[in-house]
Amino acid sequence: MRRLRQNNLQPMFKETRIVKDELIMPLFFDYNATSPVPIKSMPGQFRYPLSYAEKVAKEMKEAGVHSVLLFGIPKTKDPDASGAFSEDGIVQEAIRRMKAAVPDLVVIADTCACEYTSHGHCGILCGTELDNDASLILIEKIAVSQAAAGADIIAPSCMLDGQVGAIREALDEAGFSNTPIMSYSTKFASSLYGPFREAADSGFQFGDRTTYQMSPANRREAIRESYLDEMEGADILMVKPAGFYLDILRDVRDASDLPVAAYQVSGEYSMIKAAGANGWINENKVIMESLLSIKRAGADLIITYFAKEVAEHLK
Ligand code: PBG
Ligand code: ZN
């Protein structure tokens, strides 16, 4: 086996490569921020004020990032997530400004309610439970408002049953039949989202998300979740988190011909950052190894907080 591993021959036989067009950079915009606020649980990441939208868009372009995924923290929260679908909402404004500054930057909108609800859950509550069908109406409104603001792709992340079908219909009716849906189709109720709670100010007042997100124990169900979204009209599927779920990523890749995205989530990012900062691992090498593994497992797209630095490195 060592014959083809000689240094000058190696590049010819590299089976998997990280390509910067496949990386998606998540970004946070905070209505109440006046300057970039460092996210303590995610060293190197910030919550940006709206006034930075143009600047950040240009920075991304400059770095070679092809696509971003936007999250918003509204001025105020309420039980109905009204900040999530208002025409001048934080994400809608951020989309408009980024697209105006860099028209060919692909701007993806995370479509969920949890950053906008006072209770922190991903939709409308009935008692202490998420009301699936009432939440579908909310999520349709959010999706249409984001598409109207100029989002290139709509990415529903709330794990409501029927969300892709409902959003597809709402987008088509509103004249956005050309706007693709990247569904968070297989999303686990993972503790790796911990650092994201500070980033998006989306901790919940009570309970957890285990009644709508998937159990990490379930492999067959993971495929069914993605299959259903494909049937409902998803254009891109997703497995989230990525690194602990490479088997699921491979299963979904093999079960569908749709493009599959993988989300390397906040906890995956912060663990690598923390170990790197302590000198316990070689941070840059572990970053590339983690992305390579995700790609090898079958991801066509990788959503990662490392997107900007890796794109710069790949230049
Ligand atoms: C909101 C949402 C979450 C993440 C992305 N969209 C949190 C959650 O579902 O609890 C997690 C992202 C990360 O941890 O990096 N629905
Ligand atoms: Zn949510």
Side-chain angles (χ1 to χ4, degrees):
M1 294 307 290
R2 294 184 51 188
R3 229 173 278 134
L4 299 185
R5 278 180 209 151
Q6 298 174 84
N7 273 342
N8 64 329
L9 296 181
Q10 260 189 40
M12 295 170 71
F13 303 103
K14 191 167 178 178
E15 296 178 34
T16 311
R17 283 189 169 78
I18 304 298
V19 178
K20 56 182 176 5
D21 287 349
E22 300 166 340
L23 303 177
I24 301 172
M25 178 76 188
L27 293 171
F28 301 95
F29 282 95
D30 183 348
Y31 193 99
N32 297 314
T34 48
S35 59
V37 182
I39 300 165
K40 284 200 209 73
S41 56
M42 301 176 71
Q45 303 297 315
F46 297 86
R47 285 198 207 177
Y48 294 102
L50 254 186
S51 59
Y52 271 64
E54 289 86 355
K55 184 174 159 17
V56 175
K58 287 178 186 153
E59 260 176 41
M60 291 300 144
K61 170 90 181 173
E62 188 86 344
V65 172
H66 188 71
S67 172
V68 297
L69 171 65
L70 300 192
F71 295 93
I73 298 108
K75 187 175 181 189
T76 52
K77 300 172 188 252
D78 58 40
D80 306 319
S82 56
F85 54 85
S86 73
E87 203 188 318
D88 56 356
I90 177 77
V91 155
Q92 289 77 4
E93 245 338 284
I95 294 167
R96 247 177 241 121
R97 292 183 189 204
M98 292 187 91
K99 289 298 292 183
V102 185
D104 62 350
L105 184 70
V106 175
V107 176
I108 307 175
D110 179 89
T111 306
C112 200
C114 52
E115 296 109 59
Y116 303 88
T117 50
S118 40
H119 45 72
H121 283 283
C122 298
I124 304 292
L125 293 183
C126 177
T128 57
E129 286 295 308
L130 200 63
D131 182 333
N132 194 81
D133 294 2
S135 302
L136 285 181
I137 297 168
L138 169 64
I139 223 73
E140 288 172 16
K141 282 197 280 190
I142 301 175
V144 170
S145 74
Q146 293 170 335
D152 293 294
I153 300 178
I154 296 298
S157 67
C158 24
M159 288 296 278
L160 298 168
D161 288 341
Q163 64 181 9
V164 172
I167 289 174
R168 184 70 273 155
E169 200 170 311
L171 287 175
D172 290 354
E173 266 170 31
F176 300 109
S177 51
N178 244 344
T179 304
I181 298 174
M182 176 168 79
S183 175
Y184 287 66
S185 53
T186 295
K187 178 169 173 183
F188 292 92
S190 171
S191 297
L192 290 166
Y193 309 150
F196 180 89
R197 310 252 178 271
E198 183 200 331
D201 188 27
S202 67
F204 20 76
Q205 282 175 350
F206 59 87
D208 55 32
R209 302 207 205 287
T210 54
T211 58
Y212 42 105
Q213 298 179 350
M214 276 198 54
S215 162
N218 293 358
R219 182 172 173 184
R220 290 193 310 267
E221 186 188 349
I223 300 172
R224 275 171 63 212
E225 275 286 5
S226 277
Y227 174 77
L228 284 172
D229 284 12
E230 175 164 1
M231 291 299 112
E232 288 175 31
D235 299 281
I236 306 153
L237 301 175
M238 193 196 300
V239 174
K240 177 185 170 194
F244 286 17
Y245 295 85
L246 296 181
D247 56 330
I248 306 292
L249 193 51
R250 171 49 60 186
D251 287 343
V252 172
R253 166 70 294 145
D254 289 345
S256 170
D257 289 326
L258 290 183
V260 178
Y263 196 145
Q264 184 179 51
V265 301
S266 57
E268 298 175 76
Y269 173 85
S270 299
M271 288 192 294
I272 293 174
K273 278 287 181 190
N278 275 293
W280 296 334
I281 58 172
N282 178 324
E283 183 174 319
N284 289 334
K285 289 196 166 161
V286 171
I287 291 170
M288 292 313 287
E289 190 173 331
S290 72
L291 297 179
L292 202 61
S293 300
I294 293 166
K295 183 86 190 282
R296 194 192 58 234
D300 300 290
L301 299 167
I302 307 177
I303 303 165
T304 171
Y305 301 94
F306 294 119
K308 181 165 176 267
E309 56 176 290
V310 171
E312 272 168 341
H313 168 77
L314 291 175
K315 259 187 186 169

